[in-house]
């Protein structure tokens, strides 16, 4: 669509109404209820063209947003070049994404490589930071755990098995230090108390000073990129 670009139509049998969503990284997406003919959805989009253009103009400049993105130790760099494919590599302090100059950063190929590179960066930083922090806190507070595993967990920040194996999400590297310590102490407390009963919270509160407050702060964050 002129001044809009590609519009993606997706049918969802569970959707109750026709809807349009606009996101910087995904563009314009139209959700179609299962019973509605495609031509009606197309007519609806055409009727909303002015509104769509207005909303697109309000979207943040994604290239500028990407240029400001950084992890704890790495800064994202988008580098357009006279090449045919998208490549990403990680240095000591940067995430470098080389992409064809004729592609927009919204292009799925650029997005895919960028996502993978950022996830790998979180993994690198997690391996560098988390094992030492877990060992430090366990030693300081007298906890014993079996193994530590770092994974690309998106459903939770961490877990502790019945055998006291601790799993931590690499996305912990997104959090400030005090919340990283809170999550680690949370899982270490599960080596003693296997549920979230009063004894668990009393112990965690004793170690953190404000367990419930920190748990509330955690709700502001999400795993993933």
């Amino acid at each position: 669509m002129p001044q809009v670009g590609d519009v993606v139509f997706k049918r969802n049998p569970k959707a109750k109404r026709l809807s349009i969503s606009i996101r910087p990284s995904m563009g314009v997406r139209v959700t179609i209820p299962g019973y509605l003919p495609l031509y009606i959805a197309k007519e609806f989009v055409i009727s909303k063209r002015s509104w769509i253009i207005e909303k697109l103009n309000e979207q943040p400049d994604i290239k500028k947003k990407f240029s400001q993105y950084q992890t704890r130790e790495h800064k994202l760099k988008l580098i357009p070049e006279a090449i045919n494919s998208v490549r990403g590599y990680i240095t000591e302090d940067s995430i470098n994404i080389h992409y064809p100059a004729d592609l927009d950063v919204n292009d799925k190929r650029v997005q895919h490589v960028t996502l993978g590179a950022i996830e790998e960066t979180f993994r690198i930083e997690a391996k560098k930071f988390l094992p030492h922090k877990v060992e430090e806190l366990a030693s300081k507070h007298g906890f014993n755990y079996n193994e530590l595993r770092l994974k690309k967990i998106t459903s939770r920040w961490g877990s502790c098995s019945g055998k006291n194996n601790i799993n931590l999400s690499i996305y912990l590297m997104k959090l400030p230090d005090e919340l990283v310590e809170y999550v680690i102490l949370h899982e270490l407390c599960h080596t003693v108390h296997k549920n979230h009963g009063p004894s668990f919270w009393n112990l965690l509160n004793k170690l953190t000073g404000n367990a419930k407050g920190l748990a509330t702060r955690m709700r502001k964050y999400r795993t993933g990129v």
Side-chain angles (χ1 to χ4, degrees), residues 124-140:
I124 291 170
E125 294 182 359
K127 288 181 178 179
K128 180 178 177 180
F129 179 79
L130 293 178
H132 171 73
K133 181 57 67 173
V134 172
E135 185 176 345
E136 174 190 313
L137 292 173
S139 177
K140 178 180 179 179

Side-chain angles (χ1 to χ4, degrees), residues 6-221:
D6 291 339
V7 178
V8 177
F9 292 85
K10 186 175 182 179
R11 192 174 296 280
N12 183 353
K14 295 182 180 180
K16 295 182 179 180
R17 61 186 178 85
L18 189 62
S19 63
I20 301 173
S21 63
I22 303 172
R23 299 179 185 176
S25 62
M26 299 178 67
V28 181
R29 298 176 67 87
V30 182
T31 300
I32 310 174
Y35 60 85
L36 197 71
L38 179 61
Y39 78 89
I40 292 180
K42 290 182 177 180
E43 291 177 352
F44 176 71
V45 172
I46 292 171
S47 72
K48 295 292 184 180
R49 180 173 176 272
S50 296
W51 176 84
I52 293 172
I53 292 173
E54 179 184 343
K55 293 302 177 183
L56 284 172
N57 290 334
E58 293 175 0
Q59 295 292 310
D61 185 337
I62 192 168
K63 192 167 185 178
K64 180 179 179 181
K65 185 177 180 181
F66 275 171
S67 69
Q68 297 171 343
Y69 184 91
Q70 58 184 44
T71 63
R72 283 179 173 241
E73 298 181 347
H74 295 77
K75 181 177 176 61
L76 179 62
K77 296 180 180 179
L78 296 169
I79 308 166
E81 292 182 335
I83 54 179
N84 296 320
S85 61
V86 184
R87 302 193 304 268
Y89 67 91
I90 303 163
T91 66
E92 185 176 343
D93 61 1
S94 65
I95 307 167
N96 301 281
I97 307 299
H98 297 258
Y99 65 99
D102 60 343
L103 286 184
D104 189 271
V105 292
N106 281 319
D107 188 275
K108 290 182 179 180
R109 289 164 288 181
V110 180
Q111 293 284 315
H112 177 73
V113 173
T114 303
L115 174 63
I118 292 174
E119 289 178 339
E120 183 58 27
T121 301
F122 281 139
R123 190 182 304 279
I124 291 170
E125 294 182 359
K127 288 181 178 179
K128 180 178 177 180
F129 179 79
L130 293 178
H132 171 73
K133 181 57 67 173
V134 172
E135 185 176 345
E136 174 190 313
L137 292 173
S139 177
K140 178 180 179 179
H141 299 292
F143 289 107
N144 293 305
Y145 64 95
N146 186 24
E147 294 182 8
L148 172 64
R149 298 164 182 162
L150 306 177
K151 301 180 178 181
K152 193 177 79 171
I153 305 171
T154 57
S155 58
R156 61 184 69 185
W157 295 105
S159 64
C160 179
S161 73
K163 295 182 179 180
N164 292 341
N165 293 319
I166 292 178
N167 299 302
L168 294 178
S169 172
I170 61 173
Y171 298 118
L172 278 174
M173 304 315 296
K174 294 172 57 177
L175 305 181
D177 284 349
E178 65 271 19
L179 292 184
V180 174
E181 290 197 5
Y182 165 76
V183 172
I184 293 173
L185 287 171
H186 184 114
E187 303 311 332
L188 287 172
C189 284
H190 277 313
T191 64
V192 179
H193 303 289
K194 297 300 182 184
N195 54 48
H196 289 104
S199 296
F200 168 85
W201 285 108
N202 287 339
L203 177 58
L204 186 55
N205 194 61
K206 179 181 177 181
L207 298 178
T208 63
N210 184 22
K212 293 294 186 180
L214 291 167
T216 299
R217 285 182 61 191
M218 287 295 299
R219 298 191 189 105
K220 298 179 181 179
Y221 295 88

